[in-house]
Coordinates of all heavy atoms in Angstrom, one line a residue:
M210 N 100.2 117.7 134.5 CA 99.5 116.8 133.5 C 99.3 117.6 132.2 O 98.8 118.7 132.3 CB 98.2 116.2 134.1 CG 97.6 115.2 133.3 SD 96.1 114.5 133.9 CE 96.6 113.8 135.4
S211 N 99.6 117.1 131.1 CA 99.4 117.8 129.8 C 97.9 117.9 129.5 O 97.1 117.1 130.0 CB 100.1 117.0 128.7 OG 99.4 115.8 128.4
P212 N 97.6 118.9 128.7 CA 96.1 119.0 128.3 C 95.6 117.8 127.6 O 94.4 117.4 127.9 CB 96.2 120.2 127.3 CG 97.4 120.9 127.6 CD 98.4 119.9 128.1
E213 N 96.4 117.1 126.9 CA 96.0 115.8 126.2 C 95.7 114.7 127.3 O 94.7 114.0 127.2 CB 97.0 115.3 125.2 CG 97.2 116.2 124.0 CD 98.2 117.4 124.4 OE1 99.0 117.3 125.4 OE2 98.2 118.4 123.6
A214 N 96.6 114.6 128.3 CA 96.4 113.7 129.3 C 95.1 114.0 130.1 O 94.4 113.1 130.5 CB 97.6 113.6 130.2
S215 N 94.9 115.3 130.4 CA 93.8 115.7 131.2 C 92.5 115.4 130.4 O 91.5 114.9 131.0 CB 93.8 117.2 131.4 OG 94.8 117.5 132.3
A216 N 92.5 115.6 129.1 CA 91.3 115.3 128.3 C 91.0 113.8 128.3 O 89.9 113.3 128.4 CB 91.5 115.8 126.9
A217 N 92.1 113.0 128.2 CA 91.9 111.5 128.3 C 91.4 111.1 129.6 O 90.5 110.2 129.6 CB 93.3 110.9 128.0
V218 N 91.9 111.7 130.7 CA 91.4 111.3 132.0 C 89.9 111.7 132.1 O 89.1 110.9 132.6 CB 92.2 112.0 133.1 CG1 91.5 112.0 134.4 CG2 93.6 111.4 133.2
E219 N 89.5 112.9 131.7 CA 88.1 113.3 131.7 C 87.2 112.4 130.9 O 86.1 112.0 131.4 CB 88.0 114.7 131.3 CG 88.5 115.7 132.3 CD 88.4 117.2 131.8 OE1 87.5 117.5 131.0 OE2 89.2 118.0 132.2
A220 N 87.7 111.9 129.8 CA 86.9 111.0 128.9 C 86.8 109.7 129.6 O 85.7 109.1 129.6 CB 87.6 110.8 127.6
E221 N 87.8 109.2 130.2 CA 87.7 107.9 130.9 C 86.8 108.0 132.2 O 86.0 107.1 132.4 CB 89.1 107.5 131.4 CG 89.2 106.2 132.2 CD 88.9 104.9 131.3 OE1 88.7 105.1 130.1 OE2 88.8 103.8 131.9
A222 N 86.9 109.1 132.9 CA 86.0 109.3 134.0 C 84.5 109.4 133.6 O 83.7 108.8 134.2 CB 86.4 110.6 134.8
A223 N 84.3 110.0 132.5 CA 82.9 110.1 132.0 C 82.4 108.7 131.5 O 81.3 108.4 131.8 CB 82.8 111.1 130.8
R224 N 83.3 107.9 131.0 CA 82.9 106.6 130.5 C 82.6 105.7 131.7 O 81.7 104.9 131.7 CB 84.1 106.0 129.7 CG 83.8 104.6 129.1 CD 85.0 104.0 128.5 NE 86.0 103.5 129.4 CZ 85.9 102.4 130.2 NH1 84.8 101.7 130.1 NH2 86.9 102.1 131.0
L225 N 83.3 105.8 132.8 CA 83.1 105.0 134.0 C 81.9 105.5 134.8 O 81.4 104.7 135.6 CB 84.4 104.9 134.8 CG 85.5 104.2 134.2 CD1 86.8 104.4 135.0 CD2 85.2 102.8 134.0
G226 N 81.5 106.7 134.6 CA 80.3 107.2 135.4 C 80.8 108.1 136.5 O 81.9 108.4 136.7
D227 N 79.8 108.5 137.3 CA 80.0 109.5 138.4 C 80.6 108.8 139.6 O 81.1 109.5 140.5 CB 78.7 110.2 138.7 CG 78.3 111.1 137.6 OD1 79.1 111.6 136.8 OD2 77.1 111.4 137.5
E228 N 80.4 107.5 139.8 CA 80.8 106.8 141.0 C 82.0 105.9 140.6 O 81.9 105.1 139.8 CB 79.7 106.0 141.6 CG 78.6 106.9 142.2 CD 77.5 106.1 142.9 OE1 77.8 104.9 143.2 OE2 76.5 106.7 143.2
M229 N 83.1 106.1 141.4 CA 84.3 105.3 141.2 C 84.9 105.0 142.5 O 84.8 105.9 143.4 CB 85.3 106.0 140.3 CG 84.8 106.3 138.9 SD 85.8 107.4 138.0 CE 87.2 106.5 137.6
D230 N 85.5 103.9 142.7 CA 86.3 103.7 143.9 C 87.7 104.3 143.7 O 88.0 104.7 142.6 CB 86.3 102.2 144.4 CG 87.0 101.3 143.4 OD1 88.0 101.7 142.7 OD2 86.6 100.1 143.3
L231 N 88.5 104.3 144.8 CA 89.8 105.0 144.7 C 90.7 104.3 143.6 O 91.4 105.1 142.9 CB 90.5 105.0 146.0 CG 89.9 105.9 147.1 CD1 90.7 105.7 148.4 CD2 90.0 107.4 146.7
A232 N 90.7 103.0 143.5 CA 91.5 102.4 142.6 C 91.1 102.7 141.1 O 92.0 102.9 140.3 CB 91.5 100.8 142.8
E233 N 89.8 102.8 140.9 CA 89.3 103.2 139.6 C 89.7 104.6 139.2 O 90.1 104.9 138.1 CB 87.8 103.0 139.5 CG 87.3 101.6 139.5 CD 85.8 101.5 139.7 OE1 85.2 102.3 140.3 OE2 85.3 100.5 139.1
V234 N 89.6 105.5 140.2 CA 90.1 106.9 140.0 C 91.5 106.9 139.6 O 92.0 107.5 138.6 CB 89.8 107.8 141.2 CG1 90.4 109.2 141.0 CG2 88.3 107.9 141.5
R235 N 92.3 106.2 140.4 CA 93.8 106.2 140.2 C 94.1 105.6 138.8 O 94.9 106.2 138.0 CB 94.5 105.3 141.2 CG 96.0 105.2 141.0 CD 96.7 104.2 142.0 NE 96.0 103.0 142.1 CZ 96.1 102.0 141.2 NH1 96.8 102.1 140.1 NH2 95.5 100.8 141.4
R236 N 93.4 104.5 138.4 CA 93.7 104.0 137.1 C 93.2 104.9 136.0 O 93.9 105.0 134.9 CB 93.0 102.6 136.9 CG 93.8 101.5 137.7 CD 93.2 100.1 137.4 NE 91.9 99.9 137.8 CZ 91.5 99.4 139.0 NH1 92.3 99.0 139.9 NH2 90.2 99.3 139.2
A237 N 92.1 105.6 136.2 CA 91.6 106.5 135.2 C 92.6 107.7 135.0 O 92.7 108.2 133.9 CB 90.2 107.1 135.6
L238 N 93.3 108.0 136.0 CA 94.3 109.1 136.0 C 95.7 108.5 135.5 O 96.6 109.3 135.4 CB 94.5 109.7 137.3 CG 93.3 110.5 137.8 CD1 93.5 110.9 139.3 CD2 93.1 111.8 137.0
R239 N 95.7 107.2 135.2 CA 96.9 106.6 134.7 C 98.1 106.7 135.7 O 99.2 107.0 135.3 CB 97.3 107.1 133.3 CG 96.2 106.7 132.3 CD 96.7 107.0 130.9 NE 95.7 106.5 129.9 CZ 95.0 107.3 129.1 NH1 95.3 108.6 129.1 NH2 94.1 106.8 128.3
L240 N 97.8 106.5 136.9 CA 98.8 106.6 138.0 C 98.9 105.2 138.6 O 98.0 104.4 138.7 CB 98.3 107.5 139.1 CG 98.2 109.0 138.7 CD1 97.6 109.8 139.8 CD2 99.6 109.6 138.5
S241 N 100.2 104.8 139.0 CA 100.4 103.5 139.6 C 100.3 103.7 141.1 O 100.4 104.8 141.6 CB 101.8 103.0 139.2 OG 102.8 103.8 139.8
Q242 N 100.1 102.5 141.8 CA 100.1 102.6 143.2 C 101.5 103.0 143.7 O 101.6 103.7 144.7 CB 99.8 101.2 143.8 CG 98.4 100.8 143.6 CD 98.1 99.4 144.1 OE1 99.0 98.5 144.2 NE2 96.8 99.1 144.4
D243 N 102.6 102.7 143.0 CA 103.9 103.1 143.4 C 104.0 104.6 143.3 O 104.6 105.3 144.2 CB 104.9 102.4 142.6 CG 106.4 102.7 143.1 OD1 106.6 102.4 144.3 OD2 107.2 103.1 142.3
E244 N 103.5 105.3 142.3 CA 103.5 106.7 142.1 C 102.8 107.4 143.3 O 103.3 108.4 143.9 CB 103.0 107.2 140.8 CG 103.8 106.8 139.6 CD 103.2 107.0 138.3 OE1 102.0 106.6 138.1 OE2 103.8 107.7 137.4
I245 N 101.6 106.9 143.6 CA 100.9 107.5 144.7 C 101.6 107.3 146.0 O 101.8 108.2 146.8 CB 99.5 106.8 144.8 CG1 98.6 107.1 143.6 CG2 98.7 107.3 146.1 CD1 98.3 108.5 143.3
G246 N 102.2 106.1 146.2 CA 103.0 105.8 147.4 C 104.2 106.8 147.5 O 104.5 107.2 148.7
Q247 N 104.9 107.0 146.5 CA 106.0 108.0 146.5 C 105.5 109.4 146.9 O 106.2 110.0 147.8 CB 106.7 108.1 145.2 CG 107.5 106.8 144.8 CD 108.1 106.8 143.4 OE1 108.1 107.9 142.8 NE2 108.5 105.7 142.9
T248 N 104.4 109.8 146.4 CA 103.9 111.1 146.8 C 103.5 111.2 148.3 O 103.7 112.1 149.0 CB 102.6 111.5 145.9 OG1 103.0 111.5 144.6 CG2 102.1 112.8 146.3
L249 N 102.9 110.1 148.8 CA 102.4 110.0 150.1 C 103.5 109.5 151.1 O 103.3 109.5 152.3 CB 101.2 109.1 150.3 CG 100.0 109.5 149.6 CD1 98.9 108.4 149.6 CD2 99.4 110.8 150.2
Q250 N 104.7 109.2 150.5 CA 105.8 108.6 151.3 C 105.4 107.4 152.1 O 105.7 107.2 153.3 CB 106.4 109.7 152.2 CG 106.9 110.9 151.5 CD 107.5 112.0 152.4 OE1 107.2 112.1 153.6 NE2 108.2 112.9 151.8
I251 N 104.7 106.5 151.4 CA 104.4 105.2 151.9 C 104.7 104.1 150.8 O 104.9 104.5 149.7 CB 102.9 105.1 152.4 CG1 101.9 105.4 151.2 CG2 102.6 106.1 153.5 CD1 100.5 105.2 151.5
G252 N 104.7 102.9 151.2 CA 104.9 101.8 150.2 C 103.7 101.5 149.4 O 102.6 101.8 149.7
Q253 N 104.0 100.8 148.2 CA 102.9 100.4 147.3 C 101.9 99.5 148.0 O 100.7 99.7 147.8 CB 103.5 99.7 146.1 CG 102.5 99.1 145.1 CD 102.1 97.7 145.5 OE1 102.9 96.9 146.0 NE2 100.8 97.4 145.3
G254 N 102.3 98.7 148.9 CA 101.4 97.8 149.6 C 100.4 98.6 150.5 O 99.2 98.2 150.6
S255 N 100.9 99.7 151.1 CA 100.0 100.5 151.9 C 99.0 101.2 151.0 O 97.8 101.4 151.5 CB 100.9 101.6 152.7 OG 101.7 100.9 153.6
V256 N 99.4 101.6 149.8 CA 98.4 102.2 148.9 C 97.3 101.2 148.6 O 96.2 101.6 148.6 CB 99.1 102.7 147.6 CG1 98.1 103.2 146.6 CG2 100.1 103.8 147.9
A257 N 97.7 100.0 148.3 CA 96.8 98.9 148.0 C 95.8 98.7 149.1 O 94.6 98.6 148.9 CB 97.5 97.6 147.7
K258 N 96.3 98.8 150.4 CA 95.4 98.6 151.5 C 94.4 99.8 151.6 O 93.2 99.6 151.9 CB 96.2 98.5 152.8 CG 96.9 97.2 152.9 CD 97.8 97.1 154.2 CE 98.6 95.8 154.3 NZ 99.4 95.8 155.5
I259 N 94.9 101.0 151.4 CA 94.0 102.2 151.5 C 92.9 102.0 150.4 O 91.7 102.3 150.7 CB 94.8 103.5 151.3 CG1 95.7 103.8 152.5 CG2 93.9 104.7 151.0 CD1 96.7 104.9 152.3
E260 N 93.3 101.6 149.2 CA 92.3 101.5 148.2 C 91.2 100.5 148.5 O 90.1 100.6 148.0 CB 92.9 101.1 146.8 CG 93.8 102.2 146.2 CD 94.4 101.8 144.9 OE1 94.5 100.6 144.6 OE2 94.8 102.8 144.2
K261 N 91.5 99.5 149.3 CA 90.5 98.5 149.7 C 89.7 98.8 150.9 O 88.7 98.1 151.1 CB 91.3 97.1 149.9 CG 91.9 96.6 148.6 CD 92.7 95.3 148.9 CE 93.4 94.9 147.7 NZ 94.3 93.8 147.9
R262 N 90.1 99.8 151.6 CA 89.3 100.1 152.9 C 87.9 100.6 152.6 O 87.7 101.4 151.7 CB 90.1 101.2 153.6 CG 91.3 100.8 154.4 CD 91.8 101.9 155.2 NE 93.2 101.6 155.6 CZ 94.0 102.5 156.0 NH1 93.7 103.8 156.1 NH2 95.2 102.1 156.4
A263 N 87.0 100.2 153.4 CA 85.6 100.7 153.3 C 85.4 101.9 154.3 O 84.5 102.7 154.2 CB 84.6 99.6 153.6
D264 N 86.4 102.0 155.2 CA 86.2 103.1 156.3 C 87.6 103.6 156.5 O 88.6 102.9 156.7 CB 85.7 102.4 157.5 CG 85.3 103.5 158.6 OD1 85.2 104.7 158.3 OD2 85.2 103.1 159.8
M265 N 87.8 104.9 156.5 CA 89.1 105.6 156.8 C 88.9 107.0 157.3 O 87.8 107.5 157.2 CB 89.9 105.6 155.5 CG 89.4 106.5 154.4 SD 90.5 106.5 152.9 CE 90.0 104.9 152.2
Y266 N 89.9 107.6 157.8 CA 89.8 108.9 158.2 C 89.6 109.9 157.0 O 90.2 109.6 155.9 CB 91.1 109.4 158.9 CG 91.3 108.8 160.3 CD1 92.4 107.9 160.6 CD2 90.5 109.1 161.4 CE1 92.6 107.4 161.8 CE2 90.6 108.6 162.6 CZ 91.7 107.7 162.9 OH 91.9 107.2 164.1
V267 N 89.0 110.9 157.2 CA 88.8 111.9 156.1 C 90.1 112.5 155.7 O 90.4 112.7 154.5 CB 87.8 113.1 156.6 CG1 87.8 114.2 155.5 CG2 86.4 112.5 156.8
S268 N 91.0 112.7 156.7 CA 92.4 113.2 156.3 C 93.1 112.2 155.5 O 93.9 112.7 154.6 CB 93.2 113.5 157.6 OG 93.3 112.3 158.4
T269 N 93.0 110.9 155.6 CA 93.6 109.9 154.8 C 93.1 110.0 153.4 O 93.8 110.0 152.4 CB 93.5 108.5 155.3 OG1 94.0 108.5 156.7 CG2 94.1 107.5 154.5
L270 N 91.8 110.1 153.3 CA 91.1 110.2 152.0 C 91.5 111.5 151.3 O 91.9 111.5 150.1 CB 89.6 110.1 152.1 CG 88.8 110.3 150.8 CD1 89.2 109.2 149.8 CD2 87.3 110.2 151.1
R271 N 91.6 112.6 152.0 CA 92.0 113.9 151.4 C 93.4 113.8 150.9 O 93.7 114.2 149.8 CB 91.9 115.0 152.5 CG 92.3 116.4 151.9 CD 92.2 117.5 153.0 NE 92.7 117.2 154.3 CZ 94.0 117.2 154.6 NH1 94.9 117.5 153.7 NH2 94.4 116.9 155.8
R272 N 94.3 113.3 151.7 CA 95.7 113.1 151.2 C 95.8 112.3 150.0 O 96.6 112.6 149.1 CB 96.6 112.6 152.4 CG 96.9 113.6 153.5 CD 97.8 113.0 154.6 NE 99.1 112.7 154.0 CZ 99.7 111.5 154.1 NH1 99.2 110.6 154.8 NH2 100.9 111.4 153.6
F273 N 95.1 111.2 149.9 CA 95.1 110.3 148.8 C 94.6 111.0 147.5 O 95.2 110.9 146.5 CB 94.2 109.0 149.1 CG 94.5 107.9 148.2 CD1 95.3 106.9 148.6 CD2 93.9 107.8 146.9 CE1 95.6 105.8 147.8 CE2 94.2 106.7 146.1 CZ 95.0 105.7 146.5
I274 N 93.5 111.7 147.7 CA 92.9 112.5 146.5 C 93.9 113.5 146.1 O 94.1 113.7 144.9 CB 91.6 113.1 146.9 CG1 90.5 112.0 147.2 CG2 91.1 114.0 145.8 CD1 90.2 111.1 146.0
E275 N 94.5 114.3 147.0 CA 95.5 115.3 146.7 C 96.7 114.7 146.0 O 97.3 115.3 145.1 CB 95.9 116.1 147.9 CG 94.8 117.0 148.4 CD 95.1 117.7 149.7 OE1 96.2 117.4 150.3 OE2 94.3 118.6 150.1
A276 N 97.1 113.5 146.4 CA 98.3 112.8 145.8 C 98.0 112.5 144.3 O 98.9 112.4 143.5 CB 98.6 111.5 146.5
M277 N 96.7 112.4 144.0 CA 96.3 112.1 142.6 C 96.1 113.4 141.8 O 95.7 113.4 140.7 CB 95.0 111.3 142.5 CG 95.3 109.8 143.0 SD 93.9 108.7 142.7 CE 92.7 109.3 143.9
G278 N 96.3 114.6 142.5 CA 96.1 115.9 141.8 C 94.7 116.5 142.0 O 94.4 117.4 141.4
G279 N 93.9 115.9 142.9 CA 92.5 116.4 143.1 C 92.4 117.1 144.4 O 93.3 117.4 145.1
E280 N 91.1 117.5 144.6 CA 90.8 118.2 145.9 C 89.5 117.5 146.4 O 88.5 117.3 145.6 CB 90.5 119.6 145.6 CG 90.1 120.4 146.8 CD 89.8 121.9 146.4 OE1 90.2 122.4 145.3 OE2 89.1 122.5 147.2
L281 N 89.5 117.1 147.6 CA 88.3 116.5 148.2 C 87.3 117.5 148.8 O 87.7 118.5 149.4 CB 88.8 115.6 149.4 CG 87.7 114.8 150.1 CD1 87.0 113.8 149.2 CD2 88.2 114.1 151.4
E282 N 86.1 117.3 148.4 CA 85.0 118.1 149.0 C 84.0 117.2 149.6 O 83.7 116.1 149.0 CB 84.3 118.9 147.9 CG 85.1 120.1 147.3 CD 84.3 120.9 146.3 OE1 83.1 120.5 146.0 OE2 84.8 121.9 145.9
I283 N 83.5 117.5 150.8 CA 82.5 116.7 151.5 C 81.2 117.5 151.3 O 81.1 118.7 151.6 CB 82.8 116.6 153.0 CG1 84.2 116.0 153.2 CG2 81.7 115.7 153.6 CD1 84.4 114.6 152.7
V284 N 80.2 116.8 150.7 CA 78.9 117.5 150.4 C 77.8 116.7 151.1 O 77.8 115.4 151.0 CB 78.7 117.6 148.9 CG1 77.3 118.1 148.6 CG2 79.8 118.4 148.2
A285 N 76.9 117.4 151.7 CA 75.7 116.7 152.3 C 74.5 117.1 151.4 O 74.3 118.3 151.1 CB 75.4 117.2 153.7
R286 N 73.8 116.1 150.9 CA 72.6 116.3 150.1 C 71.3 116.0 150.8 O 71.2 115.0 151.4 CB 72.7 115.4 148.8 CG 73.8 115.8 147.9 CD 73.8 115.0 146.6 NE 74.7 115.5 145.6 CZ 76.0 115.3 145.6 NH1 76.6 114.6 146.6 NH2 76.8 115.8 144.7
F287 N 70.5 117.0 150.8 CA 69.1 116.9 151.4 C 68.1 116.9 150.3 O 68.4 117.2 149.1 CB 68.9 118.0 152.4 CG 70.0 118.0 153.5 CD1 71.1 118.7 153.4 CD2 69.8 117.3 154.6 CE1 72.1 118.7 154.4 CE2 70.7 117.3 155.7 CZ 71.9 118.0 155.5
A288 N 66.9 116.7 150.6 CA 65.8 116.6 149.6 C 65.7 117.9 148.9 O 65.5 117.9 147.7 CB 64.5 116.3 150.3
D289 N 65.9 119.0 149.5 CA 65.7 120.3 148.9 C 66.9 121.2 148.7 O 66.8 122.3 148.2 CB 64.6 121.1 149.7 CG 65.0 121.4 151.1 OD1 65.9 120.7 151.6 OD2 64.4 122.3 151.7
H290 N 68.1 120.7 149.2 CA 69.3 121.5 149.0 C 70.5 120.7 149.3 O 70.5 119.6 149.8 CB 69.3 122.7 149.9 CG 69.3 122.4 151.4 ND1 68.2 122.0 152.1 CD2 70.3 122.6 152.3 CE1 68.6 121.8 153.3 NE2 69.8 122.1 153.5
T291 N 71.7 121.2 148.9 CA 73.0 120.6 149.1 C 73.8 121.6 149.8 O 73.8 122.8 149.6 CB 73.6 120.3 147.7 OG1 72.8 119.4 147.0 CG2 75.0 119.7 147.8
V292 N 74.6 121.1 150.8 CA 75.5 121.9 151.6 C 76.9 121.3 151.5 O 77.2 120.1 151.7 CB 75.1 121.9 153.0 CG1 76.0 122.7 153.9 CG2 73.6 122.4 153.2
R293 N 77.9 122.2 151.2 CA 79.3 121.8 151.2 C 79.8 122.0 152.6 O 79.7 123.1 153.2 CB 80.1 122.7 150.2 CG 81.6 122.3 150.2 CD 82.3 123.2 149.1 NE 83.7 122.9 149.1 CZ 84.6 123.6 149.7 NH1 84.3 124.7 150.3 NH2 85.9 123.3 149.7
I294 N 80.3 120.9 153.2 CA 80.8 120.9 154.6 C 82.2 121.5 154.5 O 83.1 120.9 153.9 CB 80.8 119.5 155.2 CG1 79.4 118.9 155.1 CG2 81.2 119.6 156.7 CD1 78.2 119.7 155.7
R295 N 82.5 122.6 155.2 CA 83.8 123.2 155.1 C 84.8 122.8 156.2 O 85.9 123.1 156.1 CB 83.6 124.7 155.0 CG 83.1 125.3 156.3 CD 83.0 126.8 156.2 NE 82.4 127.4 157.4 CZ 81.7 128.5 157.4 NH1 81.6 129.2 156.3 NH2 81.2 128.9 158.5
N296 N 84.3 122.1 157.3 CA 85.2 121.7 158.3 C 86.5 121.1 157.8 O 87.5 121.3 158.3 CB 84.5 120.8 159.3 CG 83.3 121.3 160.0 OD1 82.4 121.8 159.3 ND2 83.3 121.3 161.3
F297 N 86.3 120.2 156.8 CA 87.4 119.4 156.3 C 88.4 120.2 155.5 O 89.6 120.0 155.5 CB 86.9 118.2 155.6 CG 86.0 117.4 156.5 CD1 84.6 117.3 156.2 CD2 86.5 116.7 157.6 CE1 83.8 116.6 157.0 CE2 85.6 116.0 158.4 CZ 84.3 115.9 158.1
S298 N 87.8 121.2 154.7 CA 88.7 122.1 154.0 C 89.5 123.0 154.9 O 90.7 123.3 154.7 CB 88.0 122.9 153.0 OG 87.0 123.7 153.6
D299 N 88.9 123.3 156.1 CA 89.6 124.1 157.1 C 90.8 123.3 157.6 O 91.9 123.9 157.8 CB 88.7 124.5 158.2 CG 87.6 125.5 157.9 OD1 87.7 126.1 156.8 OD2 86.6 125.7 158.6
L300 N 90.6 122.0 157.8 CA 91.7 121.2 158.3 C 92.8 121.2 157.3 O 94.0 121.2 157.6 CB 91.2 119.8 158.6 CG 90.3 119.6 159.8 CD1 89.8 118.2 159.9 CD2 91.0 120.0 161.1
S301 N 92.5 121.1 156.0 CA 93.5 121.1 154.9 C 94.3 122.4 155.0 O 95.5 122.3 154.8 CB 92.8 120.9 153.6 OG 93.7 120.9 152.6
E302 N 93.6 123.5 155.1 CA 94.4 124.8 155.1 C 95.3 124.8 156.3 O 96.4 125.3 156.2 CB 93.4 125.9 155.2 CG 92.5 126.1 153.9 CD 93.4 126.3 152.7 OE1 94.3 127.1 152.7 OE2 93.1 125.7 151.6
K303 N 94.8 124.4 157.5 CA 95.7 124.5 158.7 C 96.9 123.6 158.6 O 97.9 123.9 159.1 CB 94.8 124.1 159.9 CG 93.8 125.1 160.3 CD 92.9 124.6 161.5 CE 91.8 125.6 161.7 NZ 90.9 125.2 162.7
S304 N 96.8 122.4 158.0 CA 97.9 121.5 157.9 C 99.0 122.0 156.9 O 100.1 121.6 157.0 CB 97.4 120.1 157.4 OG 97.0 120.2 156.0
R305 N 98.6 123.0 156.1 CA 99.6 123.6 155.2 C 100.4 124.7 155.8 O 101.4 125.2 155.2 CB 98.9 124.0 153.9 CG 98.4 122.9 153.1 CD 97.8 123.3 151.8 NE 97.2 122.2 151.1 CZ 96.1 122.2 150.4 NH1 95.4 123.3 150.3 NH2 95.6 121.1 149.9
I306 N 99.9 125.2 156.9 CA 100.6 126.4 157.5 C 101.8 126.0 158.2 O 102.0 125.0 158.7 CB 99.6 127.1 158.5 CG1 98.4 127.7 157.7 CG2 100.3 128.2 159.3 CD1 97.3 128.3 158.5

């Protein structure tokens, strides 16, 4: 992604706020469902179904985020501290070996 496109994406993400659903993230990145489907080797209809799910495997969400050029982090927030859960990043590393 070009620096100009990255800046535009960041501006759109800031405009929409900190919370977005998968379809909003994809649109902010100016990606089509077909482009995501090609990266994930699934059809556009399957991408649409994933975007509408309220519940899915962490591995599915991780692959979807990676297909958009991102990295998924799972964070637990407590009253006095925040903890990054690394189990899921460990799975990501193992799947690449």
Side-chain angles (χ1 to χ4, degrees):
M210 189 180 297
S211 72
E213 296 82 19
S215 293
V218 166
E219 288 179 29
E221 179 69 5
R224 185 185 71 77
L225 292 172
D227 292 335
E228 292 186 14
M229 300 167 70
D230 64 32
L231 288 176
E233 290 171 327
V234 173
R235 178 185 50 75
R236 287 190 295 267
L238 293 170
R239 296 191 175 114
L240 295 169
S241 69
Q242 289 179 335
D243 190 52
E244 289 171 310
I245 298 297
Q247 289 175 15
T248 302
L249 295 173
Q250 299 180 342
I251 60 175
Q253 175 273 325
S255 295
V256 172
K258 287 179 185 177
I259 290 171
E260 289 181 343
K261 292 176 185 172
R262 285 185 193 160
D264 188 20
M265 69 181 75
Y266 288 116
V267 171
S268 59
T269 301
L270 179 58
R271 180 181 44 81
R272 287 184 61 231
F273 198 98
I274 297 297
E275 288 176 352
M277 292 189 287
E280 179 182 341
L281 180 66
E282 288 186 355
I283 306 293
V284 176
R286 288 187 173 78
F287 300 92
D289 60 343
H290 65 285
T291 300
V292 179
R293 180 175 178 261
I294 308 300
R295 65 177 176 207
N296 299 57
F297 304 110
S298 60
D299 291 346
L300 290 175
S301 177
E302 293 300 317
K303 289 177 186 173
S304 69
R305 292 183 184 145
I306 295 175

